[in-house]
Amino acid sequence: MNDIDTVKTDVLIIGGGPSGLATAIHLADKLKQKGEQKRILLVEKGRSIGSHILSGAVIKPAVFKELLPGTDLSEIPFNAKVTTDKTVFLTEKRSITIPFHIPYMNNIGNYTASLGEICRYLAGKAEEKGVEIYTGFAVDEILYKDGKVIGAKTKDTGIDHNGNKLENFQPGTRVEAKITIFAEGTRGSLAKMLIKKLNLAKDRNEQVYSLGCKELWSVPEGTIAPGEVYHTMGYPLQNDEFGGGFIYGLKDNRVAVGLVVGLDYKDPSFDVHDAFQIWKTTPFVSRFLKGGKFLEYGAKTLPEGGYYSIPKLFIDNALIVGDSAGLVAMPALKGIHLAIKSGMLAAETAADALINNDTSENFLKKYEKLIETSFIRDELYPVRNFRQAFAKGLIAGGMQFGTQLITGGAGFFGRLKSHPDYLTTVKLSELKKKPFKERFKGKLEFDKILTFDKSTDVYHSGVHHDEQQVVHLHINNQGNFNAVNIEQYGASEVFFCSSEVYELHTNKAGRKEIRIHAENCMHCKTCDIKSPGDGITWVVPNGGNGPDFQNM
Ligand SMILES: Cc1cc2nc3c(=O)[nH]c(=O)nc-3n(C[C@H](O)[C@H](O)[C@H](O)COP(=O)(O)OP(=O)(O)OC[C@H]3O[C@@H](n4cnc5c(N)ncnc54)[C@H](O)[C@@H]3O)c2cc1C
């Protein structure tokens, strides 16, 4: 892709996560079966496949048999088969194991894994089948002709902070494709533009998100067996904060721990990273980490609006898959198998479209029909009101969810609406409970043995951004930001950011302002979702920038 201004391909896939890689593999297989030779090109912004991939992960394996027919599951680099699967309710000092499986949360038969490792394996399979994979290229523009998508363009590089071209300026590459697949994962920056421009979320619920902070640890032998899985509810979250923790036992005496919190919380000073650290100090969690060594940190959002938040997924010449399509089964905290299945269904649609030489919306609508007759609908439709119910708190949500279980998902109220997460944050003056810092007074000094401040955690994510580029976090309205976001919401960006990008600073004139340390950005996208007044837009930085996850 070096000096070529325009590259032509049959299919362009943007994003090398499970959804994009499954699209590539299945498309190559389908075309081969039909004796067709087509060019399939996949572009990934991470410096290598897996470096921007973060998940729990406990994976439902069956879909891998569909994706890789004839492959024994033992060949796939899952980590361990789940042997123990418990849900535990935490208070600050105590834990109570719930004596039954909460509906949809049974993990027996599933596997623990590093999704990054799985993606590296899938990328190898895709390349064996002739897919061209280009890593370290950020795609920042959708190409349109006569209002229809005709491909996308990678980001120009060699630009200074103010947008001026430098000597090493390198224009991005135009990639023109008969079909473009948007597989950018959670809050895809191109998918977001596409959905807005073509009004693809018309009549759908607003998408809502969670943020998950995760650490990988090496622990003394015998601490946790591979395949031991624990989910926690309760402390340090309160009734009006949706979420919970996970502890997944891995091979080689490793353990993945994380806390996932719904971004519809109210307190503008709530801090998921710090809540995660406090969660680790509970006796139940800390015993899994005692004497261990912290290896890696990362954070990412996940869409959890469910069935009613899925946008229209097909348009002329383009399809949307995976998390960008909002395909996560939230009660189970699972999206990987749905990402893979959606990629496969997009691939089947794309293969037929190419063979029939018809990539129009009318032809590609078959994709949505395939989704509607697949296990994707079977898993999402019965829980279509799940997340909305919990917007009113754990107790009210639990009761509503009970009625939904009896009524096949409808509950007593039919379709429940959702609101963008930034609208649920209240002003400091309207907060009716203790702000986060007061709630956990005395608990926010991190010891750097069990608990870590954001800087230390960020250091353990391998994050890097080129200095010479326009800051990729745009404040949408500077005047409004100072008056509203800083003055009224107390600069909630400082707290919700998973990686210390936003700093509240007082300038020489005594005015408070936000400093943006874009170099720390974990690409979790929380600021694009949670900044009050829709205050911040996240765009892709230079290709190859961002975290360098090894095994997340
Ligand atoms: C904390 C956490 C825990 C989770 N636990 C589980 C679990 O236990 N089990 C489970 O099944 N699911 C789990 N999930 C959900 C699961 O990880 C996702 O559903 C799944 O990864 C979605 O796959 P995807 O391919 O759509 O997106 P992703 O995995 O996010 O991959 C998208 C890729 O696209 C790339 N990309 C994005 N934008 C661009 C661009 N403009 N240009 C080029 N490249 C781009 C990204 O760098 C990334 O590599 C979890 C998620 C989180 C955050």
Side-chain angles (χ1 to χ4, degrees):
M1 303 236 297
N2 277 346
D3 300 321
I4 312 163
D5 282 330
T6 300
V7 168
K8 288 191 191 287
T9 182
D10 293 295
V11 178
L12 166 65
I13 301 166
I14 304 168
S19 64
L21 290 163
T23 309
I25 290 171
H26 201 56
L27 182 57
D29 282 349
K30 285 280 147 201
L31 290 168
K32 190 173 172 200
Q33 277 167 18
K34 306 213 169 163
E36 295 280 336
Q37 269 223 320
K38 302 282 179 198
R39 188 173 187 194
I40 309 168
L41 207 143
L42 184 150
V43 185
E44 163 59 45
K45 69 178 162 61
R47 69 199 67 165
S48 58
I49 293 289
S51 64
H52 287 185
I53 295 294
L54 180 145
S55 191
V58 170
I59 302 182
K60 282 181 133 177
V63 76
F64 284 83
K65 288 193 172 169
E66 287 184 49
L67 178 66
L68 302 166
T71 304
D72 195 86
L73 283 185
S74 62
E75 288 172 42
I76 298 166
F78 292 125
N79 198 284
K81 198 162 189 173
V82 174
T83 53
T84 306
D85 177 24
K86 292 193 172 140
T87 303
V88 179
F89 187 85
L90 298 184
T91 65
E92 187 179 346
K93 299 265 185 273
R94 304 190 57 186
S95 59
I96 304 152
T97 301
I98 294 174
F100 54 86
H101 278 297
I102 291 179
Y104 304 102
M105 280 187 72
N106 187 354
N107 282 300
I108 298 297
N110 296 337
Y111 287 81
T112 59
S114 149
L115 185 59
E117 198 179 346
I118 298 277
C119 285
R120 287 192 285 275
Y121 168 81
L122 293 178
K125 289 282 170 200
E127 282 179 327
E128 278 169 23
K129 294 171 193 289
V131 175
E132 296 169 52
I133 297 184
Y134 297 94
T135 57
F137 288 91
V139 184
D140 73 335
E141 190 185 332
I142 302 171
L143 301 177
Y144 295 94
K145 192 175 174 199
D146 301 329
K148 294 179 181 176
V149 175
I150 56 155
K153 182 178 154 291
T154 63
K155 193 175 170 96
D156 298 342
T157 54
I159 291 178
D160 74 10
H161 216 65
N162 299 313
N164 303 314
K165 289 180 186 169
L166 298 165
E167 268 178 21
N168 62 347
F169 174 75
Q170 183 87 42
T173 304
R174 283 174 63 87
V175 185
E176 292 183 4
K178 290 183 185 146
I179 300 183
T180 302
I181 310 281
F182 292 87
E184 298 173 276
T186 180
R187 192 69 161 191
S189 45
L190 298 173
K192 180 183 159 188
M193 291 193 272
L194 187 74
I195 290 166
K196 190 168 177 209
K197 184 179 165 85
L198 301 181
N199 205 10
L200 304 182
K202 187 169 169 258
D203 302 329
R204 316 287 161 112
N205 272 7
E206 293 285 347
Q207 188 53 274
V208 295
Y209 295 85
S210 270
L211 169 63
C213 290
K214 171 181 171 182
E215 289 173 357
L216 185 67
W217 284 61
S218 160
V219 291
E221 194 157 358
T223 306
I224 185 166
E228 269 183 59
V229 163
Y230 301 92
H231 289 102
T232 74
M233 297 162 68
Y235 190 83
L237 304 181
Q238 294 183 331
N239 180 46
D240 62 345
E241 294 154 356
F242 177 83
F246 63 84
I247 301 162
Y248 297 158
L250 303 169
K251 278 193 296 209
D252 303 324
N253 300 311
R254 290 186 172 197
V255 58
V257 291
L259 185 75
V260 178
V261 181
L263 288 177
D264 58 347
Y265 61 77
K266 296 187 183 70
D267 178 0
S269 64
F270 190 88
D271 188 323
V272 179
H273 168 275
D274 288 5
F276 170 44
Q277 299 306 316
I278 292 162
W279 172 79
K280 286 192 295 170
T281 64
T282 56
F284 181 79
V285 182
S286 61
R287 74 187 161 102
F288 290 107
L289 303 175
K290 196 162 177 243
K293 187 169 178 282
F294 160 44
L295 303 174
E296 265 197 272
Y297 168 78
K300 204 170 206 177
T301 52
L302 67 155
E304 55 181 38
Y307 187 81
Y308 287 135
S309 298
I310 301 172
K312 182 179 165 193
L313 301 178
F314 60 94
I315 46 171
D316 286 310
N317 313 331
L319 298 168
I320 310 175
V321 296
D323 274 14
S324 287
L327 304 178
V328 172
M330 201 47 208
L333 184 66
K334 287 198 179 43
I336 297 165
H337 63 300
L338 303 179
I340 290 177
K341 185 68 183 179
S342 66
M344 292 176 68
L345 299 177
E348 283 165 30
T349 310
D352 284 351
L354 291 173
I355 291 163
N356 285 284
N357 209 14
D358 182 356
T359 58
S360 68
E361 167 168 327
N362 197 35
F363 194 95
L364 296 185
K365 72 180 177 203
K366 178 182 165 197
Y367 170 53
E368 222 166 60
K369 287 206 186 107
L370 289 175
I371 287 191
E372 283 294 317
T373 49
S374 73
F375 68 74
I376 298 179
R377 182 195 156 97
D378 296 345
E379 290 196 20
L380 296 185
Y381 192 71
V383 290
R384 60 197 177 281
N385 280 312
F386 170 80
R387 187 60 186 86
Q388 300 92 300
F390 283 92
K392 291 206 162 51
L394 196 63
I395 297 166
M399 283 159 64
Q400 276 206 41
F401 183 45
T403 68
Q404 291 170 17
L405 286 172
I406 299 162
T407 55
F412 292 147
F413 307 105
R415 175 176 165 178
L416 299 176
K417 293 263 176 206
S418 57
H419 308 285
D421 291 312
Y422 69 82
L423 283 184
T424 59
T425 312
V426 301
K427 292 175 187 157
L428 277 176
S429 60
E430 291 166 0
L431 188 63
K432 292 200 178 81
K433 61 181 191 178
K434 274 189 189 172
F436 187 84
K437 291 251 178 302
E438 272 180 49
R439 211 166 114 192
F440 295 109
K441 208 168 175 181
K443 293 190 164 62
L444 294 164
E445 293 298 319
F446 301 127
D447 65 5
K448 297 205 178 186
I449 299 167
L450 174 65
T451 55
F452 303 95
D453 54 29
K454 280 187 193 171
S455 318
T456 311
D457 262 338
V458 170
Y459 177 76
H460 284 81
S461 66
V463 72
H464 152 88
H465 286 84
D466 302 337
E467 242 174 73
Q468 296 286 22
Q469 61 181 312
V470 178
V471 170
H472 71 279
L473 303 150
H474 301 171
I475 292 189
N476 293 330
N477 177 340
Q478 189 69 56
N480 201 47
F481 194 86
N482 285 13
V484 177
N485 294 48
I486 297 182
E487 294 304 329
Q488 298 179 3
Y489 289 88
S492 59
E493 291 74 12
V494 174
F495 307 106
F496 65 58
C497 174
S498 64
S499 45
E500 217 163 46
V501 168
Y502 300 94
E503 182 196 349
L504 188 61
H505 161 80
T506 307
N507 69 16
K508 282 185 187 150
R511 259 173 54 101
K512 285 181 185 161
E513 56 189 26
I514 278 283
R515 276 187 177 161
I516 299 182
H517 301 282
E519 67 277 11
N520 287 348
C521 178
M522 200 68 57
H523 295 201
C524 73
K525 316 267 180 82
T526 308
C527 54
D528 196 89
I529 297 164
K530 189 64 176 165
S531 180
D534 196 12
I536 292 173
T537 299
W538 188 100
V539 301
V540 273
N542 285 354
N545 287 193
D548 190 15
F549 300 141
Q550 303 299 309
N551 278 302
M552 295 299 260

